[in-house]
């Protein structure tokens, strides 16, 4: 009989302790009507974002949960974090604005090389096309039909030239974008290093 009593007594103590622990905290928040509310159950989900205070049984504030940042503030924080990351990356890449200038020169040389190769390929394709068109013209002058494979080859050469035109236009765009990007990097690095150079 003693054992069940001890068990019941222990269980009652545990329940009392948990009730007291739950009663030990009050939550203070402002509802949508502007009324300050004290609640033992916690803060309803719709008010958590506005921030609240946790009070002990004597009514003293033991913890303050600040309001969630607004969408604009959150965006500012994200922008600041992205800027800091970008600045750190810039400082890892370059030690001076002259490094940025050299990197731009290398990029321009690379793109100019690609443009030169593409233009050289275009010239080669034009020469091939002129030869094939000459053969086609000879067939027509001789009163023969132009062979299908010849027409197909000429069409393929035109398609390749169009593709090279697109490549060259893309490389030209890349040149402009690189100039703008490196100029921005140069200006930001100068700012980070303490003045323009």
């Amino acid at each position: 009989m003693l054992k069940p009593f001890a068990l019941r007594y222990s269980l009652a103590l545990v329940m009392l302790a948990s009730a007291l622990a739950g009663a030990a905290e009050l939550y203070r928040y402002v509802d949508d009507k502007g009324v300050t509310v004290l609640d033992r159950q916690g803060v309803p989900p719709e008010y958590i974002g506005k921030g609240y205070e946790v009070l002990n049984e004597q009514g003293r504030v033991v913890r303050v949960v600040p309001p969630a940042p607004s969408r604009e503030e959150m965006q500012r924080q994200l922008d600041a974090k992205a800027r800091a990351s970008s600045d750190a990356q810039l400082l890892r890449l370059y030690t001076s604005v002259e490094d940025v200038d050299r990197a731009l020169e290398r990029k321009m040389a690379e793109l100019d090389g690609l443009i030169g190769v593409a233009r050289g390929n275009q010239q080669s394709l034009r020469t091939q096309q002129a030869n094939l068109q000459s053969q086609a013209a000879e067939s027509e002058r001789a009163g023969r039909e132009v062979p299908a494979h010849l027409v197909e080859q000429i069409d393929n050469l035109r398609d390749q030239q169009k593709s090279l035109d697109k490549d060259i236009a893309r490389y030209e765009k890349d040149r402009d974008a690189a100039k703008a990007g490196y100029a921005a990097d140069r200006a930001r690095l100068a700012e980070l290093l303490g003045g323009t150079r």
Side-chain angles (χ1 to χ4, degrees):
M1 187 138 188
L2 213 65
K3 286 184 181 180
F5 175 75
L7 182 60
R8 272 189 252 137
Y9 181 72
S10 296
L11 187 58
L13 282 177
V14 168
M15 289 173 56
L16 180 62
S18 66
L20 287 175
E25 288 190 337
L26 286 170
Y27 298 90
R28 181 167 53 195
Y29 62 93
V30 178
D31 68 11
D32 55 358
K33 295 176 183 145
V35 175
T36 300
V37 178
L38 286 174
D39 194 337
R40 291 188 189 283
Q41 303 299 316
V43 181
E46 63 268 21
Y47 302 123
I48 288 176
K50 295 179 181 179
Y52 58 93
E53 296 173 330
V54 180
L55 292 76
N56 63 15
E57 62 267 4
Q58 286 83 32
R60 292 192 183 111
V61 176
V62 293
R63 189 170 78 239
V64 175
V65 177
S70 67
R71 194 172 282 149
E72 294 80 18
E73 180 59 30
M74 184 68 78
Q75 188 60 49
R76 277 193 295 276
Q77 290 174 2
L78 290 173
D79 291 346
K81 187 175 180 181
R83 175 61 115 175
S85 174
S86 174
D87 288 348
Q89 175 72 13
L90 199 59
L91 290 168
R92 276 193 299 276
L93 287 173
Y94 308 111
T95 57
S96 70
V97 290
E98 290 79 15
D99 289 346
V100 179
D101 295 338
R102 284 189 288 274
L104 174 60
E105 288 172 17
R106 285 191 301 272
K107 187 65 176 176
M108 291 298 106
E110 174 191 335
L111 290 169
D112 288 344
L114 291 171
I115 291 169
V117 168
R119 287 192 174 139
N121 289 342
Q122 273 188 327
Q123 185 57 45
S124 174
L125 292 174
R126 278 194 287 271
T127 302
Q128 290 177 42
Q129 184 179 357
N131 289 338
L132 292 175
Q133 285 175 330
S134 176
Q135 291 175 28
E138 284 177 23
S139 292
E140 287 177 340
R141 280 193 295 273
R144 293 186 307 253
E145 190 173 321
V146 177
H149 75 277
L150 205 55
V151 173
E152 185 179 331
Q153 285 178 325
I154 292 170
D155 288 344
N156 284 341
L157 290 172
R158 282 189 189 127
D159 290 344
Q160 290 176 35
Q161 287 178 39
K162 286 178 186 174
S163 177
L164 285 170
D165 286 339
K166 288 179 184 173
D167 289 347
I168 290 170
R170 189 178 75 245
Y171 297 145
E172 294 287 352
K173 242 184 192 177
D174 290 348
R175 282 181 102 261
D176 294 341
K179 284 179 187 177
Y182 282 100
D185 285 352
R186 187 182 201 286
R188 183 62 183 157
L189 185 65
E191 194 177 311
L192 289 171
L193 295 175
T196 55
R197 296 182 186 187

